[in-house]
Amino acid sequence: MAENEFEGVEIPEDLLNSIAGGMTAQEKYNIDSFVYIWKKTGMSLDQVLDKFSVLEGNENADEYYSYIIQYHNSLQF
């Protein structure tokens, strides 16, 4: 837990991840929910990625797209 402290003040994990550029738990949950539903209804990976095209201007878009691809490919129905 010492790595989450700055001058004796503990920094919450979600805040630390968002500062470091990582996805927060809430962002992962939201992405997981959408990808799960869309794949369950028969959407291909390309269709799902197209739904997330709004991320194009985001500086972390590559991280999001990589996560989306990995999660989509891990789902087996």
Side-chain angles (χ1 to χ4, degrees):
M1 195 59 93
E3 65 274 0
N4 289 6
E5 290 188 13
F6 177 73
E7 295 182 1
V9 177
E10 185 177 335
I11 301 170
E13 192 70 31
D14 279 353
L15 179 59
L16 186 63
N17 284 340
S18 67
I19 292 169
M23 285 189 290
T24 65
Q26 184 65 51
E27 289 171 321
K28 286 182 181 182
Y29 175 80
N30 292 341
I31 290 171
D32 290 354
S33 298
F34 282 116
V35 172
Y36 180 89
I37 291 168
W38 289 335
K39 184 167 183 174
K40 188 79 168 168
T41 61
M43 280 190 174
S44 68
L45 177 58
D46 287 337
Q47 290 171 316
V48 170
L49 290 172
D50 189 50
K51 291 281 191 181
F52 284 102
S53 64
V54 69
L55 296 173
E56 285 299 320
N58 188 300
E59 64 186 33
N60 297 321
D62 290 341
E63 181 182 357
Y64 289 113
Y65 285 131
S66 177
Y67 182 79
I68 291 164
I69 292 167
Q70 288 176 9
Y71 183 65
H72 185 276
N73 291 337
S74 74
L75 295 173
Q76 303 295 319
F77 298 116

